Each structure stands twice: as C-alpha cells, then as structure tokens.
Amino acid sequence: SFSLYVNGFVFSTPDGLEASVSLSPFSLVRNCRFQSGECSKLKSFKVSLVEPDPCCYFAVQNQCEREAEEERSEWVLGLSHTILLITDSLLPAFPVTCDPVPGAQQTARRLMAGYLIHRDDGNSISVLFCELHAHTGS
C-alpha cells in the first residue's frame, strides 16, 4: 500500500514492513521506465530524496494500460503538489522582483531579488534573501 500525506508518504512492503518518508523542497518525482524484464510492463515512477539518501521506485499495476498510466500520473502529480506545498510553507509571501528599492543605492544595479532555500547540511536548511546584481567594473 502507498499513502500520501501533507509532508511525505508511507508505503508497505509485501512482507508487511512499513516505511515512512519525509519529503523536502529538494525532493524530486518523475515518471520512469524500466527497459527490460517484468518491471518494463509496469507504469513506474521514481522519488529522489536529498543526497546521499537513496531514491525510491514505485509502480502501478493494472490490466488496462491507460488506467495504469492515469493512476501513475495521479501519484506523480500528488507527490509533486506535496513538494510544492512544503516549499511554499518555507518561503515568505514575497514576489521575485527586479526593481530597486527607492533610496537604497545598494539596490540600484539589482537584476533580481527574492528568497532562496539553501541546504546547509543533511539535516537543516536556511531561507535566505538574495540579490543578483549587474557586474560593475571592467
């Protein structure tokens, strides 16, 4: 079984073991396909976690290929949406901007400014306000 939650997912193995996985803003999910063997008949997807953690492969099995494709798409979309919600929960409500701040000379050469999520190490992240400025000098 596979269950999706607001911050991750839980899955059970055929032998009854259960694993809980927390997602991060750096998690990725995508469709994938095995080239040969029994797994090539399944509609599969991959969830990549933050390095050096492993990735997880999951597959949908259905007699109807179209229904299996639709179910896989629903899982991938649901996981992608969960990762987006996690990312949005960390960022302040602030649009990316290109405009300088009136009266603040240090922003006169601003190309872009906004918040950035930085992975500090395997257990922590920081949300930083960053500015990209045009090159000065020769």
Side-chain angles (χ1 to χ4, degrees):
S1 71
F2 187 94
S3 300
L4 183 60
Y5 295 95
V6 71
N7 63 342
F9 59 92
V10 174
F11 65 94
S12 299
T13 61
D15 56 355
L17 297 176
E18 188 172 274
S20 176
V21 178
S22 295
L23 296 169
S24 82
F26 304 103
S27 301
L28 300 170
V29 60
R30 66 182 178 108
N31 291 342
C32 64
R33 186 172 56 126
F34 293 96
Q35 298 298 320
S36 61
E38 280 299 307
C39 290
S40 66
K41 299 173 186 172
L42 301 172
K43 298 298 179 185
S44 55
F45 61 95
K46 172 183 172 180
V47 180
S48 299
L49 306 172
V50 179
E51 292 291 332
D53 291 333
C55 58
C56 303
Y57 290 90
F58 299 96
V60 175
Q61 188 172 14
N62 195 314
Q63 295 297 339
C64 176
E65 187 171 341
R66 183 183 57 76
E67 288 177 12
E69 183 70 45
E70 287 175 6
E71 185 177 352
R72 174 178 66 176
S73 293
E74 288 174 15
W75 282 116
V76 169
L77 184 62
L79 284 158
S80 297
H81 185 71
T82 298
I83 295 166
L84 175 66
L85 291 175
I86 291 167
T87 303
D88 283 350
S89 74
L90 298 171
L91 295 171
F94 181 86
V96 173
T97 183
C98 300
D99 300 324
V101 176
Q105 183 58 34
Q106 67 271 24
T107 65
R109 298 183 59 81
R110 176 189 280 178
L111 297 175
M112 179 173 56
Y115 284 92
L116 170 84
I117 299 175
H118 177 265
R119 181 173 170 232
D120 300 326
D121 56 37
N123 297 317
S124 63
I125 61 172
S126 297
V127 177
L128 309 169
F129 185 80
C130 299
E131 291 193 20
L132 177 65
H133 291 247
H135 178 73
T136 59
S138 53

